[in-house]
Amino acid sequence: MNRETLEVDVLIVGAGPAGLSAALRLAQIQKAKGGDPLSIAVIEKAPEAGRHQLSGALLDPSTLTELVPDYASKGAPLGTPVDNDNIYFLTQESKFRLPITPPPFQNHGNHIISLSQFTKWLASQVEAEGIDVFWGFPGQHVLYDRPPDVYENPPRIIGVRTGDRGLNKEGKPKGAFEPGADIHAKVTIFADGVRGHLTKELYRDLQIGLGAEPAQYAIGIKELWDVPKGRLKPGTVIHTLGYPLREEEFGGSWLYAMGDGRISIGLVVGLEYHDPLFDPHAAFQHFKRHPFIRGILDGGQIVRYGAKAVPEGGWNTQPQLFLDGALIVGDAANFVNSTRLKGIHLAMRSGMLAAESAFDAVRGGDTSASVLKSYKTRVDTSAIKTELYPMRNVHQAFGHGLIAGSAYAGIAMFTNGRLLPDLGGHPGHREMRMIESYYGLAKRDILVPSNAAPIDRKLTFDKVTGAHYSGTHHDEDQPVHLLVHTEVCHTICGSEYGHPCVKFCPANVYEMVDDGMGGRRLQINASNCVHCKTCDIMDPYGVITWVAPEGGEGPSYDGM
Ligand SMILES: Cc1cc2nc3c(=O)[nH]c(=O)nc-3n(C[C@H](O)[C@H](O)[C@H](O)COP(=O)(O)OP(=O)(O)OC[C@H]3O[C@@H](n4cnc5c(N)ncnc54)[C@H](O)[C@@H]3O)c2cc1C
């Protein structure tokens, strides 16, 4: 097969806040330093800017003010400034307002934004600098200069192969087949987001998680609603703890009033819950049925739905950030502050720092790990460490229950993390850093009943309807992009875990159906997939691998 090969100086995989900030910073440094311009390319699996971007989102503008000081005159869509913060503890029927708002929940100075719109704007700034962003081009595999042999002689990363187009279900070329291209780069910056599948290849091939604590994740399920104007003052921020989550589930909700009656509402649940039949999507429906929340949404209309994982493990879970020929930034490097549920400004900052190191290395003619290591030094002396290090164990502490977690978080906050020991990973996590079961000891015979919620299609919706509101589209005649070893599903998973994929997937991708022979078989509705990555994280046997589908396909998160 003839593959096109392209040569660039710097290749950036992923046009989210991290990747676009890296691109913009490269352009800025280039302008400031002059000399021969570097060739820079960005590849992104979404068909256009912002389409695969889902977040809360409260933007801490601290990094933006450094990256684009004149952002206001350049029309940055900063939405609505936060006007008031509220935090409640919910029981099934009631709510209690916390008398003080803990520092991580104080949001004055932050803005309620649509990350999708913000990313669109950031992309326009990058393109205005003459940098090519290739929309609808997923990176499919990492390219090495020789087969990976991490122990003897680690290979150099020389770029990325993009996905083929025009293959049918069986993987055979259809009429308009186009093989993916090999993009060779002196430095590849992996900005492929939470559980990025190329970064996952680096974990597998180069053991970049060795020495770090196991990654930890949450799933965030989000809806946009239009409610009668005046129901919530624009700029109102509400966070809740407690119901519908139980003591053993860590998480909470948000409601952000964006203006014009538009509300961003969502629930985040730590993915180390022990009950394999717990269903985060159902928990979100219960949450909306709470009298307090129902009162806010009543008479309103759902506009969009989506879900995405969040890397919540914090500072100690960052993988090796620099390699021969590569750097890792943003969510792919687990740079999220889970106590504040904020990662956009950290992703942007890590992108900027990676750009500075990549630029120096390319100009200096040496892009080996020993030179690119300067990125790690930059991170360690930056606001990323100042913010993440003191909170480094907070998510892990919540793995020991709400009370233990709250106490730990409180002490961490007041002592700036100094008095607390490192906790290590959650006891349920296995040794392999990326392929691990989160179900601890739970087996089917000790499960609590499923948390299914009533669906009325006004306030609560089933997963298929949710997938419809996510705007997801995938051509059905293409290779399934969820690589599943189904023999496990058809043999032991039912008796051991009760098929948790049916529960944890927020878009009904996994269904157990009649096999016509008196048994049940797994049906994969890949076209519903909202690219949240939860299945890749939560399958207890490590037999589900998410890879990018054909370029341009997936959810359509306009306004999210
Ligand atoms: C529910 C939820 C609520 C959140 N709330 C907030 C909040 O209120 N405030 C806040 O600051 N942060 C919040 N965050 C976190 C924040 O959204 C992330 O930290 C931030 O978006 C990370 O940016 P990124 O560029 O690293 O990754 P992403 O934003 O995930 O961008 C990665 C990009 O890479 C693309 N990509 C992935 N794989 C490939 C591939 N193989 N080839 C090409 N392209 C690829 C993706 O399509 C995507 O566009 C929230 C996250 C979630 C999920």
Side-chain angles (χ1 to χ4, degrees), residues 253-307:
S253 80
W254 79 81
L255 272 99
Y256 304 148
M258 304 173 79
D260 271 345
R262 180 146 298 182
I263 286 186
S264 160
I265 175 172
L267 181 72
V268 175
V269 184
L271 286 177
E272 57 279 299
Y273 59 77
H274 279 220
D275 172 4
L277 292 193
F278 174 76
D279 183 331
H281 170 273
F284 180 54
Q285 309 312 312
H286 285 295
F287 166 68
K288 288 188 289 175
R289 286 165 51 81
H290 187 280
F292 175 45
I293 307 304
R294 181 194 285 269
I296 294 172
L297 298 181
D298 196 33
Q301 174 103 34
I302 184 175
V303 177
R304 268 266 173 280
Y305 168 88

Side-chain angles (χ1 to χ4, degrees), residues 416-444:
N416 216 11
R418 276 190 297 271
L419 293 183
L420 295 166
D422 283 351
L423 289 178
H426 185 273
H429 295 168
R430 293 194 199 133
E431 263 310 288
M432 276 187 73
R433 307 290 158 168
M434 286 293 275
I435 302 167
E436 57 205 12
S437 166
Y438 285 77
Y439 296 125
L441 300 173
K443 294 281 177 193
R444 198 164 190 202

Side-chain angles (χ1 to χ4, degrees), residues 521-541:
R521 70 172 173 83
L522 181 69
Q523 175 173 296
I524 303 171
N525 307 314
S527 55
N528 283 357
C529 176
V530 293
H531 297 197
C532 73
K533 311 287 180 72
T534 306
C535 55
D536 195 287
I537 297 164
M538 285 302 277
D539 129 52
Y541 304 101

Side-chain angles (χ1 to χ4, degrees), residues 122-172:
L122 206 49
S124 71
Q125 303 303 302
V126 168
E127 288 176 325
E129 295 293 341
I131 293 178
D132 288 323
V133 186
F134 296 95
W135 304 108
F137 279 84
Q140 205 55 283
H141 290 295
V142 179
L143 296 172
Y144 301 106
D145 65 347
R146 55 182 174 278
D149 179 351
V150 57
Y151 297 107
E152 291 300 319
N153 194 4
R156 179 185 170 76
I157 290 139
I158 55 165
V160 158
R161 174 165 294 170
T162 63
D164 296 335
R165 286 165 188 275
L167 292 174
N168 71 11
K169 261 189 206 154
E170 284 78 38
K172 304 244 163 63

Side-chain angles (χ1 to χ4, degrees), residues 12-20 43-46 50 52-60 115 119 137-140 160 191-194 196-198 218-222 254 256 267-268 307-311 329-333 335-336 340-348 350 531 533 546 548:
I12 298 167
V13 183
L20 291 170
I43 55 170
E44 163 59 51
K45 65 181 166 62
H52 289 181
Q53 233 64 45
L54 178 148
S55 192
L58 292 177
L59 176 74
D60 169 343
L115 184 60
T119 307
F137 279 84
Q140 205 55 283
V160 158
D192 49 347
V194 58
H197 91 272
L198 295 189
I219 180 173
I221 299 182
K222 170 173 175 177
W254 79 81
Y256 304 148
L267 181 72
V268 175
K308 191 169 174 194
V310 194
V329 297
D331 274 15
F335 287 144
V336 166
R340 299 175 72 205
L341 186 60
K342 285 192 183 57
I344 300 168
H345 66 298
L346 300 171
M348 292 174 70
S350 63
H531 297 197
K533 311 287 180 72
W546 189 100

